[in-house]
């Protein structure tokens, strides 16, 4: 894979119909946690269905620097846990905000010194939201701008539990504090303004930790993790691209199998159904079936955002194809993702001839049936690149996407699935910019 700062440009031409059944990569958020908790548990754990994207690879490499050992078997990964060594080098977490924030929580609980860095996009994302609570527990955390930006330097150990009211609804912040709380004296409670996805709570329980959930509050205590077997189901955030693609590309019908359907992860299905989308989701089997059809505009507010925060770029593509004007609000968190996703999403839509405008906490999108191919820059953001590809599959004429490299962070097989679902009619091909 080329580095994320290298600008690979790809092209695709539409419109094309999408048809068939696929499995998307293992859930990225769960994959990070499966590796981290297996690494913390003394003994051997097994992980199946792990995401193969670069983000998760970075977490694995970081854990190896602590002395965690990995063995790739046929179809699964063996993890011999235990943080035995102080890292002798700076841990480079690439483009992964999840990896940096969660590993910061792990480092805070260890009597070690660790330095965390990432690519230029990750080094621009706010890390004070984890540095502040970790300092209040007793860790020493420093970095650029007083610890607001990476690289982060962390000296951990000798922590005390805290009661932390998080000012942001962020599963990453919650998880970082909980991970530190596993090594802290007393109890640690995190209270969120809105309940976020519960991957950490679910997986800590699987690894033998007593986790208390009371509304938007979560409490853990000093705990020893026991090895476990983890099966990582498909990533709903990746399935959302095919859900929107199948809805807006003419004469399409797509099935996505084995999706994770836990708390806070399938909000995109609800939003697309509100738009009139024809989706059938079996939560027991994790099977999602989508059939193309007309969409109508909706309002997406702050109450929706925690369950769709990663899917908003591709939901905006659906809104661009819907009849009427869609308003998205309460999504200011998008300003500090891999890119400023409000700005980059609006720029992407405008490239396709859609009238879209930024607001401080969202966007306003006027749907149109006359979308033409466009020229889009990913701004180093994998979700912008893939949303642009989905839009291009349903638009008329060629689409060019700059910065396609970013897709490798989460979905390196995306181009293969484009070719498979289009029956070879559409292929993302590298072009000279």
């Amino acid at each position: 894979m080329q580095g994320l700062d290298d600008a690979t440009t790809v092209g695709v031409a539409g419109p094309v119909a999408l048809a068939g059944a696929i499995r998307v990569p293992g859930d990225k958020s769960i994959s990070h946690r499966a590796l981290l908790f297996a690494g913390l548990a003394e003994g051997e754990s097994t992980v199946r269905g792990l995401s193969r994207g670069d983000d998760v690879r970075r977490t694995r490499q970081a854990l190896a620097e602590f002395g965690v050992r990995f063995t790739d078997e046929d179809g699964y990964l063996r993890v011999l846990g235990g943080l035995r060594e102080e890292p002798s080098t700076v841990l480079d977490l690439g483009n992964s905000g999840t990896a940096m924030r969660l590993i910061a929580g792990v480092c805070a609980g260890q009597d070690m010194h660790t330095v965390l860095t990432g690519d230029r996009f990750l080094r621009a994302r706010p890390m004070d939201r984890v540095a502040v609570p970790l300092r209040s527990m007793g860790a020493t955390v420093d970095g650029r701008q007083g610890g607001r930006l990476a690289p982060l330097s962390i000296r951990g150990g000798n922590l005390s539990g805290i009661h932390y009211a998080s000012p942001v609804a962020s599963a990453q912040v919650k998880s970082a504090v909980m991970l530190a709380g596993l090594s802290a004296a007393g109890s640690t409670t995190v209270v969120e303004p809105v309940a976020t996805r519960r991957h950490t709570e679910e997986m800590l329980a699987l690894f033998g930790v007593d986790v208390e959930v009371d509304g938007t509050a979560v409490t853990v205590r000093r705990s020893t993790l026991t090895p476990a077997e983890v099966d990582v189901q498909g990533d709903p955030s990746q399935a959302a691209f095919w859900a929107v693609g199948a809805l807006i590309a003419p004469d399409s019908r797509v099935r996505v199998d084995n999706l994770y359907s836990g708390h806070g992860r399938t909000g995109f299905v609800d939003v697309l159904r509100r738009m009139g989308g024809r989706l059938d989701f079996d939560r027991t089997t994790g099977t999602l079936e989508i059939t193309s059809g007309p969409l109508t505009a909706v309002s997406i507010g702050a109450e929706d955002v925690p369950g769709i925060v990663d899917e908003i770029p591709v939901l905006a593509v659906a809104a661009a194809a819907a009849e009427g004007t869609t308003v998205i609000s309460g999504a200011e968190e998008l300003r500090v993702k891999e890119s400023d996703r409000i700005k980059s999403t609006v720029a992407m839509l405008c490239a396709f001839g859609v009238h879209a405008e930024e607001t401080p906490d969202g966007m306003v999108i006027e749907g149109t049936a006359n979308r033409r191919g466009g020229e889009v820059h990913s701004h180093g953001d994998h979700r912008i690149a893939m949303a642009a590809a989905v839009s291009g599959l349903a638009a008329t004429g060629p689409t060019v996407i700059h910065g396609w490299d970013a897709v490798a962070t989460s979905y390196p097989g995306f181009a293969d699935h484009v070719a498979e679902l289009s029956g070879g009619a559409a292929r993302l091909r590298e072009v000279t910019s």
Side-chain angles (χ1 to χ4, degrees):
M1 185 191 97
Q2 295 183 6
L4 290 176
D5 293 341
D6 297 333
T8 294
T9 299
V10 300
V12 68
V16 296
L18 302 176
I22 60 168
R23 287 196 176 195
V24 295
D27 188 277
K28 184 162 68 80
S29 296
I30 296 175
S31 293
H32 282 296
R33 290 160 172 82
L35 290 180
L36 285 170
F37 300 154
L40 288 169
E42 291 284 351
E44 186 175 276
S45 299
T46 60
V47 184
R48 290 177 173 81
L50 196 70
S51 168
R52 298 298 179 183
D54 187 66
D55 278 9
V56 174
R57 182 178 67 85
R58 300 283 184 159
T59 291
R60 173 173 170 170
Q61 289 178 335
L63 287 168
E65 293 294 332
F66 286 101
V68 178
R69 298 168 190 166
F70 301 93
T71 304
D72 288 287
E73 300 287 352
D74 185 18
Y76 66 97
L77 181 70
R78 293 184 184 274
V79 184
L80 183 61
L83 306 190
R84 305 172 182 84
E85 303 169 12
E86 184 176 65
S88 60
T89 188
V90 174
L91 305 184
D92 185 350
L93 302 171
N95 192 240
S96 180
T98 300
M100 179 164 285
R101 292 184 178 123
L102 268 62
I103 290 174
V106 171
C107 294
Q110 309 303 312
D111 185 15
M112 301 177 182
H113 176 251
T114 316
V115 179
L116 309 178
T117 192
D119 68 16
R120 64 186 177 92
F121 302 105
L122 184 55
R123 294 196 306 273
R125 297 180 67 180
M127 293 299 150
D128 50 337
R129 53 181 56 182
V130 295
V132 169
L134 295 179
R135 287 188 193 118
S136 69
M137 298 177 78
T140 300
V141 185
D142 202 359
R144 292 185 300 130
Q145 296 185 16
R148 193 179 78 83
L149 299 176
L152 296 181
S153 170
I154 304 172
R155 166 64 70 180
N158 196 30
L159 302 185
S160 299
I162 59 171
H163 187 283
Y164 184 64
S166 177
V168 294
S170 167
Q172 294 177 5
V173 173
K174 173 178 65 175
S175 298
V177 178
M178 290 172 66
L179 282 163
L182 297 177
S183 302
S187 62
T188 296
T189 299
V190 182
V191 182
E192 299 184 284
V194 178
T196 60
R197 55 185 63 173
R198 292 176 180 160
H199 301 325
T200 297
E201 296 92 314
E202 293 170 357
M203 195 160 294
L204 283 177
L206 180 65
F207 280 85
V209 174
D210 183 20
V211 181
E212 296 178 12
V213 179
D214 183 10
T216 61
V218 182
T219 300
V220 295
R221 296 171 180 80
R222 190 193 301 272
S223 302
T224 299
L225 281 70
T226 57
E229 295 184 3
V230 184
D231 288 305
V232 182
Q233 291 181 283
D235 194 328
S237 297
Q238 312 296 16
F241 293 104
W242 304 118
V244 172
L247 287 172
I248 68 174
D251 304 316
S252 295
R253 185 175 178 86
V254 171
R255 190 184 80 229
V256 185
D257 294 325
N258 194 39
L259 285 182
Y260 173 78
S261 60
H263 175 83
R265 291 305 308 279
T266 56
F268 76 92
V269 174
D270 300 328
V271 170
L272 290 173
R273 282 175 173 164
R274 278 162 40 195
M275 298 177 77
R278 298 163 64 189
L279 298 92
D280 182 15
F281 187 34
D282 186 330
R283 293 180 179 274
T284 302
T285 63
T287 301
L288 176 64
E289 295 184 89
I290 316 103
T291 305
S292 60
L295 301 175
T296 56
V298 295
S299 292
I300 298 172
E303 67 280 5
D304 299 306
V305 170
I308 59 168
V309 66
D310 289 331
E311 294 80 24
I312 286 177
V314 78
L315 289 174
V317 171
E323 181 180 355
T325 300
T326 293
V327 178
I328 300 174
S329 60
E332 57 272 13
E333 180 68 12
L334 295 181
R335 296 283 188 188
V336 292
K337 291 292 186 178
E338 284 85 338
S339 67
D340 178 340
R341 279 192 184 150
I342 293 176
K343 184 179 294 296
S344 54
T345 298
V346 168
M348 172 193 65
L349 296 178
C350 290
F352 287 98
V354 177
H355 183 71
E357 295 181 353
E358 292 183 47
T359 64
D361 64 344
M363 61 197 80
V364 179
I365 305 163
E366 293 184 14
T368 176
N370 300 313
R371 298 177 311 285
R372 50 173 170 74
E375 185 172 1
V376 179
H377 292 264
S378 76
H379 303 284
D381 192 326
H382 56 128
R383 299 197 192 279
I384 297 300
M386 289 185 284
V390 167
S391 184
L393 290 170
T396 301
T399 292
V400 174
I401 306 167
H402 300 284
W404 185 255
D405 308 76
V407 172
T409 66
S410 63
Y411 201 158
F414 185 88
D416 293 334
H417 279 162
V418 167
E420 181 180 343
L421 290 174
S422 68
R427 295 183 183 275
L428 287 159
R429 300 182 185 277
E430 187 168 350
V431 299
T432 302
S433 59

